[in-house]
């Protein structure tokens, strides 16, 4: 908070620049390390060097040669996309109702969302394991999609209702005066205006589903529905004497790519979404 | 949440109210119906996937129910609770969890505040700092955890190479806990910083300038003006981070899988299910963790007066 008044001196600028550099390095080092590890050849994998001495694509070739990783990647993408789509649709409907309509039970819904945002996921693991086995949902896509939707909904509802408050509602009223029903006003006027908020929410929800490990490791048992975070811990090297570190690192980099792209292209939106919702995914 | 939306609606209601009462109540009815319809799917899923299992979990916790011996299933009242609460492993896991939560949230608060001030204050390179600090937030926790694990594994790691020859920090309790704390702090500090930055934006510059004119130093301005104004934001950030830290699972599972007494309550409960296949004991732990989390939330909201996000008076900045 130094230097609230007065111009920035050169020394201060350099000071801030240094601090910025420290912050950037702090954030990036673990990512660069796993990237570096993924490009190491099997001979240099255990040399402990931060930068590879010998660059190679072998680890990537290896993981894409196995069905194990490809299957897990398909599961990850499919489950996260479906869960995100459903959570965003239901979340949008609920957030619109909360932001705009007057109806009994509104507070209750907000309260439930808050409770679930704070809910310890581990508490559901044992009962869900038993219930899903009985219903035949264990180790299937829906078996993971359902809990993901549940825990994504509070995030979606909070973020979206914050966005919905920023929308110029006079337009809706104008539409209603022109004879539109509330449902039509929602569809034709508000939905297009709300699209950016919905999109931001979709990114946050996707990151949440993509990230999950607890449900993925407890509610799956085979390749049929195991997502990449869970599959990573089952990786073995291409032979039993080989360290799986290279394959794990390569797979880890692959699932990091979408996150890096989101962050690079939608940085502003993500920040706005996170701070308006004030609920972590 | 409701308050901001009410005012524009009132004039329309008053206008409509006087001439035709029947029409209004019809419109009102349609609005209620639409509201309920729009909320129904979200509410149903949330309740079905959390409400019912937690009740079922309590029911399971009163039974001897081990999937390895399914024939021995029997109703045993609170014996599982006695077994868990008298287990040294459970208490060790509980203390590890509490310690990790308190230490990592405290460090995150300090570092997060520093990062928030940094992002708030600097003009040059602000975008780069913000972008790169979002990476730990977005990165899959398991990926980050593997990165730390390989960094500290003898032979593979660059960080372990800096330590004494022959040390393997992830095979000892205290070094493991330190590394777990590091991994947690790294991952969640940016999120804390973003929440705090939103709070910082509320502190009026004029007030800080006036205080500076009156001779208040930088530290004094921070403690006497910035922190009190930011208090609601700080409390909300602390509430969510504490509850989240208490659930710590991914990092421990990947870094040590809970060996050498490094299990958190979540790890011990999950291991009980995955490796032990003991649903009775697992459910008992589930219920106990649920109660612990409820107590934490209660303390924050009632004792510290944290405004629950979404309630009318707070959480909204």
């Amino acid at each position: 908070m130094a230097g609230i008044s007065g111009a920035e001196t050169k020394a201060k600028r350099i000071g801030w620049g240094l601090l910025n550099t420290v912050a950037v390095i702090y954030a990036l080092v673990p990512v660069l390390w796993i990237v570096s590890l993924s490009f190491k050849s099997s001979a240099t994998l255990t040399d402990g060097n931060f930068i590879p001495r010998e660059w190679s694509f072998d680890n990537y070739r290896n993981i894409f040669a196995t069905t194990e990783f490809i299957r897990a990647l398909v599961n990850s993408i499919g489950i996260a996309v479906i869960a995100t789509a459903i959570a965003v649709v239901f979340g949008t409907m609920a957030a619109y109702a909360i932001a705009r309509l007057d109806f009994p039970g509104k507070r209750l819904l907000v309260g439930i969302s808050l409770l679930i945002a704070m809910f310890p996921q581990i508490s559901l693991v044992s009962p869900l394991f038993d219930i899903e086995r009985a219903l035949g949902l264990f180790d299937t896509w829906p078996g993971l999609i359902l809990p993901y939707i549940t825990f994504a909904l509070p995030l979606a509802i909070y973020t979206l209702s914050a966005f919905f408050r920023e929308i110029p509602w006079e337009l809706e009223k104008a539409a209603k005066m022109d004879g539109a029903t509330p449902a039509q006003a929602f569809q034709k006027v508000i939905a297009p205006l709300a699209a950016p908020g919905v999109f931001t929410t979709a990114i946050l929800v996707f990151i949440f589903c993509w990230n999950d490990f607890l449900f993925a490791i407890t509610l799956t048992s085979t390749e049929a529905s195991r997502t990449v975070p869970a599959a990573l811990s089952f990786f073995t090297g291409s032979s039993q004497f080989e360290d799986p570190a290279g394959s794990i690192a390569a797979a880890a980099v692959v699932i990091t790519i979408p996150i890096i792209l989101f962050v690079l292209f939608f940085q502003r939106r993500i920040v706005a979404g996170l701070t308006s919702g004030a609920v972590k995914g | 949440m409701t308050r901001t939306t009410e005012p524009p609606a009132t004039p329309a209601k008053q206008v409509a109210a006087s001439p035709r009462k029947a029409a209004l109540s019809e419109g009102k009815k349609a609005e209620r119906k639409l509201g309920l319809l729009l909320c129904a799917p979200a509410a149903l899923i949330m309740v079905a996937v959390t409400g019912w299992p937690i009740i079922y979990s309590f029911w399971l916790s009163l039974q001897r129910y081990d999937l390895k011996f399914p024939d021995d299933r029997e109703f045993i009242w609170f014996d599982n609770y006695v077994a868990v609460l008298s287990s040294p492993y459970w208490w060790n896991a509980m203390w590890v969890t509490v310690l990790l939560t308190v230490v990592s949230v405290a460090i995150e608060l300090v570092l997060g505040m520093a990062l928030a001030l940094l992002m708030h204050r600097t003009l040059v390179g602000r975008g780069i700092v913000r972008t790169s600090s979002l990476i730990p937030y977005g990165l899959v926790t398991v990926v980050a955890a593997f990165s730390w694990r390989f960094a500290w594994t003898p032979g593979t790691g660059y960080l372990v190479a800096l330590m004494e020859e022959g040390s393997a920090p992830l095979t000892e309790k205290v070094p493991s806990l330190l590394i777990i704390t590091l991994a947690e702090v790294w991952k969640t500090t940016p999120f804390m910083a973003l929440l705090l930055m939103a709070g910082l934006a509320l502190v009026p510059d004029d007030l800080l300038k006036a205080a500076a004119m009156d001779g208040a130093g930088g530290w004094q301005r921070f403690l006497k003006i910035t922190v009190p104004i930011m208090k609601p934001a700080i409390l909300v950030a602390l509430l969510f981070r504490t509850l989240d830290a208490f659930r710590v699972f991914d990092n421990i599972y990947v870094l040590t899988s809970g060996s050498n007494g490094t299990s958190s309550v979540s790890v011990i409960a999950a291991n009980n299910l995955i490796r032990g296949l003991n649903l009775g004991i697992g459910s008992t732990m589930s219920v106990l963790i649920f109660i612990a989390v409820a107590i934490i939330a209660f303390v924050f909201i009632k004792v510290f007066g944290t405004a629950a996000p979404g309630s009318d008076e707070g959480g909204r900045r």
Side-chain angles (χ1 to χ4, degrees):
Chain A
M1 271 343 249
I4 262 306
S5 55
E8 301 256 300
T9 62
K10 203 174 179 189
K12 259 178 196 157
R13 269 233 183 121
I14 294 173
W16 285 115
L18 267 178
L19 285 175
N20 280 342
T21 318
V22 170
V24 171
I25 291 174
Y26 167 86
L28 292 186
V29 160
V31 185
L32 295 178
W33 161 243
I34 201 111
V35 171
S36 144
L37 207 52
S38 74
F39 282 113
K40 284 184 177 181
S41 64
S42 56
T44 58
L45 189 63
T46 53
D47 66 359
N49 238 32
F50 192 82
I51 298 163
R53 288 208 174 95
E54 231 179 77
W55 294 75
S56 99
F57 281 97
D58 285 354
N59 294 318
Y60 291 91
R61 245 175 252 133
N62 288 343
I63 55 167
F64 279 107
T66 60
T67 54
E68 195 188 4
F69 176 68
I70 294 173
R71 187 64 232 228
L73 193 60
V74 170
N75 289 338
S76 261
I77 295 172
I79 290 172
V81 167
I82 296 172
T84 303
I86 300 177
V88 168
V89 169
F90 288 172
T92 305
M93 288 159 55
Y96 174 82
I98 287 172
R100 282 306 288 163
L101 303 174
D102 191 22
F103 63 98
K106 179 146 84 174
R107 286 173 155 276
L108 185 69
L109 183 76
V110 174
I112 292 176
S113 310
L114 181 65
L115 278 182
I116 290 177
M118 303 196 287
F119 200 93
Q121 279 110 331
I122 184 74
S123 288
L124 289 185
V125 161
S126 290
L128 274 185
F129 179 85
D130 206 38
I131 294 171
E132 292 202 345
R133 272 185 334 130
L135 295 175
L137 287 176
F138 180 72
D139 199 23
T140 64
W141 280 24
L144 280 183
I145 290 172
L146 271 173
Y148 288 1
I149 297 174
T150 306
F151 285 97
L153 271 172
L155 174 73
I157 292 175
Y158 277 117
T159 315
L160 281 165
S161 46
F163 274 111
F164 284 177
R165 272 193 299 274
E166 311 287 312
I167 289 176
W169 295 101
E170 309 84 63
L171 287 177
E172 189 199 29
K173 218 178 280 167
K176 276 187 185 158
M177 278 190 185
D178 289 345
T181 64
Q184 277 174 324
F186 171 70
Q187 246 183 12
K188 301 254 162 84
V189 181
I190 298 310
L193 279 174
V198 173
F199 182 68
T200 305
T201 309
I203 293 178
L204 295 181
V205 168
F206 183 87
I207 291 178
F208 165 78
C209 299
W210 193 247
N211 201 328
D212 172 78
F213 179 61
L214 179 59
F215 289 123
I217 199 130
T218 48
L219 297 180
T220 66
S221 60
T222 64
E223 282 181 18
S225 63
R226 204 177 267 150
T227 59
V228 180
L232 284 183
S233 45
F234 291 95
F235 269 22
T236 49
S238 41
S239 76
Q240 75 181 97
F241 301 107
E242 209 177 289
D243 195 330
S247 316
I248 293 177
V253 171
V254 172
I255 61 166
T256 303
I257 292 169
I259 301 298
I260 304 273
L261 291 179
F262 285 150
V263 167
L264 284 182
F265 289 110
F266 309 113
Q267 181 241 116
R268 250 165 234 284
R269 283 172 187 277
I270 295 176
V271 171
L274 279 177
T275 47
S276 66
V279 177
K280 193 195 168 195
Chain B
M1 199 152 262
T2 53
R3 207 148 280 175
T4 40
T5 63
E6 282 309 324
T10 351
K13 260 184 225 159
Q14 279 165 352
V15 172
S18 38
R20 289 197 312 267
K21 251 196 164 156
L24 170 86
S25 75
E26 206 133 288
K28 200 89 191 108
K29 250 188 216 162
E31 188 183 329
R32 285 184 163 209
K33 208 174 147 196
L34 180 66
L36 288 175
L37 270 179
L38 288 175
C39 287
L44 280 180
I45 291 192
M46 287 195 290
V47 172
V49 182
T50 57
W52 164 240
I54 198 71
I55 296 167
Y56 186 64
S57 182
F58 179 65
W59 169 243
L60 285 180
S61 75
L62 301 178
Q63 301 175 31
R64 181 187 300 131
Y65 186 14
D66 190 329
L67 290 178
K68 283 172 303 199
F69 311 101
D71 298 336
D72 287 351
R73 192 171 175 175
E74 195 186 346
F75 195 82
I76 53 168
W77 287 105
F78 290 95
D79 283 7
N80 282 330
Y81 289 87
V82 174
V84 171
L85 290 176
S86 59
S87 152
Y89 294 107
W90 167 259
W91 286 109
N92 182 58
M94 184 54 98
W95 291 124
V96 164
T97 312
V98 170
L99 188 76
L100 279 178
T101 305
V102 171
V103 173
S104 60
V105 172
I107 299 174
E108 277 159 32
L109 181 63
V110 174
L111 281 184
M113 186 63 95
L115 187 60
L117 286 170
L118 183 67
M119 289 195 280
H120 190 69
R121 282 282 300 137
T122 41
L123 301 170
V124 190
R126 188 180 185 168
I128 303 169
V129 175
R130 220 192 254 194
T131 307
S132 43
S133 68
L134 274 179
I135 286 176
Y137 161 77
L139 199 69
V140 176
T141 315
V142 172
V143 168
F146 270 115
S147 172
W148 292 116
R149 187 172 113 182
F150 294 141
W152 292 105
T153 303
T156 321
Y158 68 101
L159 287 174
V160 80
L162 305 175
M163 296 175 68
E164 254 176 83
E165 193 82 16
S167 39
L170 287 171
T171 58
E172 290 166 68
K173 183 169 178 173
V174 176
S176 299
L177 289 178
L178 289 175
I179 293 170
I180 293 165
T181 312
L182 168 72
E184 281 282 298
V185 167
W186 177 81
K187 166 88 184 148
T188 47
T189 298
F191 177 71
M192 185 75 117
L194 287 176
L195 290 187
L196 293 176
M197 202 174 66
L200 268 181
L202 291 183
V203 182
D205 258 358
D206 295 350
L207 201 58
L208 292 172
K209 271 186 193 144
M213 295 244 194
D214 290 346
W219 192 236
Q220 240 178 334
R221 287 197 300 263
F222 177 70
L223 285 181
K224 298 264 165 71
I225 298 172
T226 309
V227 171
I229 292 178
M230 285 180 67
K231 198 181 152 212
I234 293 175
L235 282 175
V236 169
L238 278 183
L239 168 66
F240 275 96
R241 271 304 306 145
T242 305
L243 291 177
D244 203 47
F246 195 81
R247 304 186 275 209
V248 56
F249 177 78
D250 304 13
N251 272 321
I252 298 182
Y253 193 92
V254 172
L255 282 166
T256 66
S257 25
S259 54
N260 309 309
T262 54
S263 284
S264 68
V265 283
S266 291
V267 173
I268 209 172
N271 276 341
N272 216 289
L273 177 73
I274 305 171
R275 297 185 191 156
L277 291 174
N278 193 328
L279 277 174
I281 295 286
S283 300
T284 308
M285 291 177 175
S286 295
V287 172
L288 289 172
I289 295 169
F290 181 74
I291 294 171
V293 165
I295 292 173
I296 297 175
F298 180 83
V299 167
F300 263 98
I301 291 173
K302 290 287 170 202
V303 181
F304 294 140
T306 310
S311 65
D312 279 347
E313 46 290 305
R316 302 274 145 234
R317 293 173 294 267

